[in-house]
Amino acid sequence: MMAQTTVEPNAGDSGGTPSGAAAGYRPFATLPFRAEFRRQASRRRTQLALGFMVLLPLIILIAFQFDSGDDDNGRGEFGSLVEFATSGGLNFTLFALFVSASFLLVVVVALFCGDTVASEASWGSLRYLLAVPVPRARLLAVKLLVALTYSALALLLLAGTALLLGTLRYGWGPLRSTVAAELEPGEGLLRLLAVLGYLAVVLLVVAGLAVLLSVSTDAALGAVGGAVLLWILSSILDQITALGVLRAFLPTHYSTAWLGLLSTPIQTDDVVRGAISAISYATLFWGLAFWRFTRKDVVS
Amino acid sequence: MSAAPDRRPVPHRTGAQPALVAGAGREPGPGPVLSADSGAFCVHSGNPQLSPRSVCHMRSPSPAAWIRRALSTRRRALAAAAAVVVVLLAAGVAGTLRPAEPDLRTEAALITVRSGPSGDEPVELDTTLYLPPAAAADAPVPAVLLAHGFGGTKESVRADAEEFAGRGYAVLTWTARGFGRSGGQIHLDHPDYEVRDAQRLLDWLAARPEVVTDATGDPRVGVVGGSYGGALALLLAAQDQRVDAIVPMITWNDLARSFLPEQSGEGPEQGVFKKGWAGLFFGSGGNPGPAPLGGSGPPGGLAPGGGSVPGGSLPENAATTAGAVDPSCGRFAADVCAAYLRIATTGRADPDAVALLRRSSPAGKLDRVEAPTLLVQGAADTLFSLTEADANAREIAATGTPVQVAWFTGGHDGGDGPKTDSDRVLHLTVRWLDHYVKGEGAAPADDFTFSRIAGFDALDRGLVATGFRATGYPGVDGTGQQPVSVSGPAQSIANPPAGNPAAISSVPFAGELSSLLDGVAGDIPGQHARFESAPLPAAVDVVGAPTVSIRAASPTGTAVLFVKLYDVAADGSATLPNGLVAPIRLEGLPAAVEDAEPVTVTLPAIVRRVEAGHRVRVVVATSDQAYATPVEPAVYSVALASGAVTLPTVASEPIPTDAVVWRWVLAGLLATIAVGLVVVVAVLRRRHRRRESRVHPAYAGVPLAVRELRKEYADGFVAVSNVDFEVHPGQVVGLLGPNGAGKTTTLRVLMGLTQPTAGEVYVFGHRLVPGAPVLSRIGALVEGPGFLPHLSGLDNLTAYWRATGRPWADAHFDEALEIAGLGTSVHRKVRTYSHGMRQRLAIAQAMLGLPELLVLDEPTDGLDPPQIAEMRRVLRRYATGGRAVLVSSHLLAEVEQTCTHAVVVTKGQIVASGPVEEIVGESPSVLLEVTDPVAARAVLDRLAGVSVLPDGDGQLVVDTNGTARSEVVAELVRAGIGVDRVVPRRRLEDAFLALVGENSRGSGDR
């Protein structure tokens, strides 16, 4: 129908910009971080998840008031975390993190990261964002950043509330555990921040997995649940010692290495290895997510 | 009293499990094995090597196809990913469980050797020879003589034997005389008995064709052993120059000093009897029943000294070889037994007993050792302290023989130590043997290495040790001394009668944690004196034996005291490093402490970091459960002689571990990711910019040009093919077709939601690809509204516009809201909206910013008739002023009434296109329903130019051919024919219905 014609740059453009975009449109100004942050902030699940992060330390605190004096809270070197939970604000915070790290935080991160694209797809609003057009890579990048921001916010809220409540209730004291000498409050706070940092790095794997699933499905529940499920699967496999060295390649293998940050002197070997593992997995998952999302047909 | 009973549990490292699996693999299984591969179930014969003959029944010709059909397209990717994970895991498991050991040959034999003082007393030794696969008469290999610990058998060292054999050594293990199935009695590494036995085993090795010899009868051999076996290695090397290298571990220099230590410089005759350990050993060697020991065993991963299996094979051979056993001596030789009984009864050693123990000691014989020696000693060892290795090292080095010393954090109390530490010991041992026996590798550097418990491993819940190295062996005095002031008044302490109650410093074999944590240590009030320092301003790394000077007074003139060094944390918790104490026996003491002479006490050598803020506490106690103390009660006075305890330090550097490497790997990973990200972004940005700035001149002013568009979905379904149309400014173009004709697919491509398989779309000359900036000039409603249900209509519009990043003024919210016509409902949440309301909101959203091209997919869906009419007016008006509208619809009337132009598609292809008047405008034909068709036909035939088309059922289809319809009707009425209905016909209606109507279901969702 149409003869092959020459294509010349910038010829006969009527859009005012070289790319032919509408006036005022700049690809890298689309979907600003703040806009996406507000989009997510308005959602009930965001408010509930963050609210729960505030509520949980309060619930734990109240639960401790029912202490019957029967201290049989689990054994082992790290059972001390439980025993010392009421010895000060720092220990209370550590306890709150200890009980949340293996599951609750995983679910929260999976929720923020797994829901972000899939929910837009299920509402149908994703195609209008793409028709704006928000470049796909930018869309995913902004959504990922916002999800990570909320995840970090959840982590900080949990730790901050626990620190505040714990300090108000149990006082500001040194960080205690049997694996280490007592740590001065200042030092203890630094260790606590290091623990938070490492937890955040480990949870990047969940974030990566959730985002990858999120761009692969329109069902937000599937993405969130899938990420949590795979995380649990990895945890279960990590319990099977018959797997030998293979376990070191499981994304959850180093998930408790942060406990080494509490010992004196500080144990960072597994933390470093865990960080390598987590960052590698997260990069892989995010890479796949970007690769897939920038190529897929959006048909929802 | 004898050497280390080691009761290493069953070897758990490389040996047992793989061997089990290997054994199972070698024997053909009794029945068929079911395995699932490639989707089919296969029945293999038991032997995996026969798999080509396996019988496989495929359930379908192509399982992959079957699976593909079973899964929807979208899930396939996930299923594939899951399958990959499962396969990888399965492969990993298989790889882990597969026997990693090459096929080692083992030969078990009872060898009769002749030894004893005259060399003619035969004794049967139970031996096993491990041969690496490569060993043969024409390819002989060097050998390792591997000795076990006290109370063990050759089986105790099996894992280590397999380790060395796997590294190319012929390894000979044997059960020492007096143990297991071997005959004879226990002479405690007597030069004429145990050592001579080992010499005969060297003869035997030299006669083996698989073993390299240096000369006739001189095998190339290293001797490795721990504890009892370690002393044997030293004594053998001193007695037989055929030994090429030795690695004695956690063993003694002077057995008398080890069991009767005295730390103020006196000899064993003055020593304090270490009754706890002695009793354990005598029990494990003398009792014909199972050894009374349980728990974690001594050293080493390498465990050369090697563990024993508790109980071993004692019962049976006790009956067969020992015959009528003296119940008080068991399998001990009579002189050894008698010496023990004398010492244990009195708590003191007579010169004869000391001489007997010295006979079994390397001390004084080591100047004859020419074999390069690697001494491995454990810090967590209350039996053979670091000082023993120190004495061995000094004696051997005095003659110029190469010696290296390695301390690790295990020992008779600490077991193998943390894995990092046992790995380090294994590495050192193998390096030593490789260089001095096999002749491979460089000469080992690092004269002195040691390690310190650095904390807990969070993952394995075990301890972590950090290794350090130093050039030149500093001994237990260190390379530097740091005095730390301690103070305290003179104190009176009581010696309890019969040593009960007694302080607990260590519990032999209580497990590695007991002595490392402070749980066990306990001093009895009134029985100990404390002298404490101020908090240390800086951390001190103690490596070696601290010294302290004290004065003591006793009403009896004698005193047995235990001096200990505690590390006291800021919270007051005190740790006794490794449970080590320094016993002293002082005699000729005055009654008043002021008159006493200072006594310098050498405390046990330790490796420990005393943190800043911690205190150092010197405790002098009168009792200790592990030692024999005077029976009579007494009250002593003790005071510090000098105000300082001297802490030795060693200039050393940490041994680089792979942890350092990992840190670099992490840094490299982060850098790589950062660089990779920058590069990818830069490349993509550049590519986009180049592509986006190109303009097709022919379509520069055309809002939309679709050229030969084809979309084929992944499953092969062709949704559209050869779609070709243009939308020009001012036009309202209708994309008309039945459901599933391909309209939505076309619009999806237009919006950059899907990639076309072939063909191009140009918007104002710019090639349209997903995310192309030119899309910002298109407003769209595709596949129904898509809103955030939890936001109000207005919030949705503002959220949308915020996402565009464009100025607020460009949005024209007021116009859009007016078109939406939602009134106050615009403030309600979208989830409460009706379908029509959402539709109107979606159209308003599409019009935000007044885009130059408006693309609406079924815009009137859900709208009521007045709204539809209004929408038509809006769209017509919108297209004026250079803008254009593309509307898709499956309703002919819709397109006819709204559009200026139409494109008719069906089954993915265009069947007609052009101005609406041409396509769906009124045709000159009209359908008449009349009372008398026959008469009417006659009337109409008379009218010029009017022709009647054939039809039936009282209806006439008339081609008016320019004649006004009113004229035709008037003519009929005039002729007296009643006209019931006049229906104008459309030109393409018949054609359209013929094309799309008969099968309007299309072929699926396009």
Side-chain angles (χ1 to χ4, degrees), chain B residues 774-860:
Chain B
V774 77
L775 274 169
S776 60
R777 291 158 79 175
I778 304 179
L781 162 63
V782 180
E783 290 184 89
F787 293 110
L788 280 59
H790 55 278
L791 292 183
S792 72
L794 186 60
D795 286 345
N796 258 296
L797 292 191
T798 54
Y800 171 81
W801 192 255
R802 211 176 274 128
T804 66
R806 292 166 64 183
W808 280 103
D810 292 0
H812 304 281
F813 277 105
D814 294 341
E815 285 99 318
L817 288 175
E818 195 182 329
I819 287 161
L822 290 169
T824 55
S825 296
V826 81
H827 297 295
R828 278 165 48 204
K829 286 196 162 120
V830 165
R831 77 162 66 90
T832 65
Y833 282 16
S834 71
H835 184 58
M837 290 164 80
R838 286 182 205 202
Q839 187 78 6
R840 271 141 55 202
L841 191 64
I843 293 168
Q845 176 179 289
M847 288 184 179
L848 278 182
L850 303 179
E852 288 155 271
L853 174 63
L854 193 59
V855 176
L856 301 177
D857 190 11
E858 309 276 2
T860 55

Side-chain angles (χ1 to χ4, degrees), chain B residues 561-816:
Chain B
L561 298 171
F562 301 92
V563 188
K564 330 178 197 185
L565 185 78
Y566 280 90
D567 175 356
V568 184
D571 65 355
S573 65
T575 307
L576 179 64
N578 286 325
L580 292 163
V581 303
I584 52 173
R585 185 187 300 275
L586 303 176
E587 297 192 338
L589 295 176
V593 74
E594 295 78 22
D595 304 332
E597 292 294 314
V599 176
T600 299
V601 180
T602 305
L603 293 159
I606 54 171
V607 180
R608 184 176 183 86
R609 159 172 281 204
V610 183
E611 298 285 346
H614 285 208
R615 296 161 189 269
V616 171
R617 178 190 294 164
V618 174
V619 168
V620 181
T622 56
S623 63
D624 196 291
Q625 208 166 47
Y627 291 86
T629 50
V631 177
E632 297 298 320
V635 175
Y636 312 132
S637 296
V638 291
L640 287 172
S642 71
V645 55
T646 306
L647 303 177
T649 56
V650 168
S652 61
E653 55 168 6
I655 298 172
T657 61
D658 57 351
V660 179
V661 177
W662 286 117
R663 243 163 255 179
W664 283 107
V665 169
L666 178 61
L669 180 69
L670 290 174
T672 310
I673 291 171
V675 170
L677 207 58
V678 167
V679 167
V680 166
V681 168
V683 165
L684 288 182
R685 217 180 252 215
R686 192 170 159 188
R687 189 191 298 171
H688 276 264
R689 197 166 296 152
R690 191 180 306 154
R691 187 176 57 201
E692 287 155 4
S693 59
R694 286 182 187 161
V695 175
H696 196 302
Y699 305 116
V702 183
L704 180 66
V706 179
R707 286 288 159 257
E708 299 181 17
L709 190 70
R710 178 182 174 85
K711 176 66 184 176
E712 194 176 324
Y713 283 107
D715 54 1
F717 174 68
V718 180
V720 292
S721 62
N722 265 329
V723 166
D724 233 332
F725 64 91
E726 290 177 16
V727 178
H728 289 274
Q731 290 182 348
V732 179
V733 176
L735 196 56
L736 179 64
N739 291 333
K743 304 187 298 290
T744 299
T745 296
T746 308
L747 296 188
R748 274 183 192 153
V749 174
L750 282 190
M751 299 328 302
L753 299 178
T754 61
Q755 297 262 22
T757 312
E760 297 98 36
V761 177
Y762 292 95
V763 175
F764 295 105
H766 292 272
R767 173 89 183 274
L768 195 147
V769 292
V774 77
L775 274 169
S776 60
R777 291 158 79 175
I778 304 179
L781 162 63
V782 180
E783 290 184 89
F787 293 110
L788 280 59
H790 55 278
L791 292 183
S792 72
L794 186 60
D795 286 345
N796 258 296
L797 292 191
T798 54
Y800 171 81
W801 192 255
R802 211 176 274 128
T804 66
R806 292 166 64 183
W808 280 103
D810 292 0
H812 304 281
F813 277 105
D814 294 341
E815 285 99 318

Side-chain angles (χ1 to χ4, degrees), chain B residues 263-603:
Chain B
Q263 294 297 99
S264 68
E266 301 294 327
E269 290 87 352
Q270 294 294 95
V272 184
F273 182 46
K274 206 181 271 181
K275 64 173 181 180
W277 275 112
L280 270 174
F281 281 107
F282 192 74
S284 70
N287 191 339
L293 311 172
S296 73
L302 220 197
S308 69
V309 181
S313 47
L314 277 175
E316 49 187 298
N317 64 57
T320 55
T321 60
V325 176
D326 178 352
S328 63
C329 289
R331 298 181 71 183
F332 280 102
D335 54 343
V336 174
C337 178
Y340 171 76
L341 295 177
R342 287 202 309 280
I343 297 172
T345 308
T346 63
R348 304 290 293 267
D350 53 63
D352 285 349
V354 172
L356 183 138
L357 292 173
R358 287 254 164 91
R359 188 183 66 198
S360 296
S361 298
K365 309 184 180 82
L366 293 175
D367 54 342
R368 301 200 299 268
V369 172
E370 286 175 13
T373 305
L374 171 66
L375 289 159
V376 178
Q377 200 78 353
D381 201 326
T382 53
L383 179 60
F384 302 130
S385 66
L386 296 173
T387 319
E388 295 299 305
D390 184 54
N392 282 332
R394 291 183 186 285
E395 279 191 52
I396 299 172
T399 61
T401 303
V403 177
Q404 285 186 4
V405 178
W407 294 351
F408 74 115
T409 56
H412 281 87
D413 294 298
D416 292 355
K419 178 152 190 331
T420 50
D421 232 14
S422 51
D423 285 351
R424 184 171 66 87
V425 170
L426 177 66
H427 168 75
L428 290 173
T429 307
V430 168
R431 197 177 59 166
W432 197 261
L433 293 176
D434 280 356
H435 180 73
Y436 288 111
V437 179
K438 201 188 268 182
E440 286 177 2
D446 307 332
D447 299 324
F448 177 50
T449 54
F450 63 97
S451 55
R452 191 176 67 213
I453 294 293
F456 278 95
D457 184 328
L459 296 184
D460 298 334
R461 299 291 192 269
L463 294 165
V464 176
T466 311
F468 298 87
R469 64 183 177 195
T471 313
Y473 174 59
V476 291
D477 301 329
T479 54
Q481 280 83 31
Q482 179 159 356
V484 174
S485 295
V486 288
S487 59
Q491 293 159 55
S492 292
I493 51 176
N495 179 45
N500 191 32
I504 300 170
S505 59
S506 66
V507 177
F509 282 127
E512 56 192 80
L513 288 180
S514 69
S515 57
L516 295 168
L517 300 177
D518 51 356
V520 175
D523 288 310
I524 311 291
Q527 295 183 17
H528 71 281
R530 292 185 181 190
F531 307 97
E532 210 161 79
S533 74
L536 299 187
V540 180
D541 285 310
V542 184
V543 182
T547 55
V548 66
S549 188
I550 63 165
R551 285 180 297 167
S554 164
T556 62
T558 65
V560 169
L561 298 171
F562 301 92
V563 188
K564 330 178 197 185
L565 185 78
Y566 280 90
D567 175 356
V568 184
D571 65 355
S573 65
T575 307
L576 179 64
N578 286 325
L580 292 163
V581 303
I584 52 173
R585 185 187 300 275
L586 303 176
E587 297 192 338
L589 295 176
V593 74
E594 295 78 22
D595 304 332
E597 292 294 314
V599 176
T600 299
V601 180
T602 305
L603 293 159

Side-chain angles (χ1 to χ4, degrees), chain A residues 1-2 5-6 8 10-11 13-15 20 22 31 42 77 127-128 133 136 243 246 265 267-268 270 283 297-298, chain B residues 92-93 454 457 459 461 662-663 673 693 695-697 699-700 711 724 753 766 772 776-777 782-784 790 802-803:
Chain A
M1 195 125 182
M2 178 197 81
T5 45
T6 53
E8 300 164 19
N10 292 330
D13 180 48
S14 60
L31 193 63
S42 66
E77 293 88 340
R127 55 177 180 271
Y128 293 104
R136 290 191 182 193
L243 290 176
L246 277 183
Q267 286 299 309
T268 54
D270 284 327
T283 309
D297 286 347
V298 176
Chain B
V93 171
D457 184 328
L459 296 184
R461 299 291 192 269
W662 286 117
R663 243 163 255 179
I673 291 171
S693 59
V695 175
H696 196 302
Y699 305 116
K711 176 66 184 176
D724 233 332
L753 299 178
H766 292 272
S776 60
R777 291 158 79 175
V782 180
E783 290 184 89
H790 55 278
R802 211 176 274 128

Side-chain angles (χ1 to χ4, degrees), chain B residues 39-351:
Chain B
F41 285 92
C42 302
V43 181
H44 298 297
S45 62
N47 190 337
Q49 288 174 333
L50 297 179
S51 60
R53 283 196 270 146
S54 307
V55 187
C56 296
H57 299 284
M58 296 278 191
R59 261 194 281 183
S60 87
S62 164
W66 180 79
I67 292 168
R68 202 177 299 137
R69 279 195 302 276
L71 296 168
S72 79
T73 324
R74 196 178 305 140
R75 289 187 189 134
R76 204 183 301 154
L78 285 178
V84 167
V85 170
V86 169
V87 167
L88 281 177
L89 277 176
V93 171
T96 311
L97 297 183
R98 202 186 51 223
E101 294 282 318
D103 289 328
L104 298 174
R105 280 176 290 152
T106 60
E107 293 176 16
L110 285 171
I111 300 177
T112 303
V113 298
R114 292 181 182 279
S115 46
S118 50
D120 57 359
E121 299 172 20
V123 65
E124 264 194 339
L125 296 179
D126 184 16
T127 67
T128 300
L129 178 67
Y130 298 77
L131 287 169
D138 55 348
V141 294
V144 167
L145 199 59
L146 186 55
H148 64 79
F150 195 86
T153 67
K154 63 176 186 177
E155 284 304 306
S156 320
V157 291
R158 185 160 65 115
D160 296 316
E162 284 168 349
E163 177 74 43
F164 291 128
R167 291 170 187 269
Y169 293 93
V171 182
L172 180 61
T173 65
W174 81 103
T175 303
R177 62 163 60 218
F179 295 102
R181 291 174 192 274
S182 292
Q185 289 181 312
I186 303 167
H187 292 267
L188 285 189
D189 285 343
H190 190 295
D192 290 337
Y193 293 97
E194 278 87 354
V195 181
R196 193 158 285 176
D197 290 346
Q199 285 184 285
R200 299 289 81 80
L201 291 177
L202 292 183
D203 299 341
W204 186 85
L205 271 179
R208 293 286 306 198
E210 298 93 341
V211 175
V212 183
T213 52
D214 293 321
T216 308
D218 179 4
R220 177 82 57 82
V221 65
V223 185
V224 179
S227 198
Y228 193 57
L232 181 95
L234 285 164
L235 290 163
L236 179 61
Q239 190 163 319
D240 197 320
Q241 302 308 321
R242 289 179 294 174
V243 175
D244 296 294
I246 55 173
V247 185
M249 302 182 176
I250 59 166
T251 193
W252 66 88
N253 173 256
D254 183 342
L255 196 55
R257 185 175 59 218
S258 293
F259 278 102
L260 294 141
E262 211 292 327
Q263 294 297 99
S264 68
E266 301 294 327
E269 290 87 352
Q270 294 294 95
V272 184
F273 182 46
K274 206 181 271 181
K275 64 173 181 180
W277 275 112
L280 270 174
F281 281 107
F282 192 74
S284 70
N287 191 339
L293 311 172
S296 73
L302 220 197
S308 69
V309 181
S313 47
L314 277 175
E316 49 187 298
N317 64 57
T320 55
T321 60
V325 176
D326 178 352
S328 63
C329 289
R331 298 181 71 183
F332 280 102
D335 54 343
V336 174
C337 178
Y340 171 76
L341 295 177
R342 287 202 309 280
I343 297 172
T345 308
T346 63
R348 304 290 293 267
D350 53 63

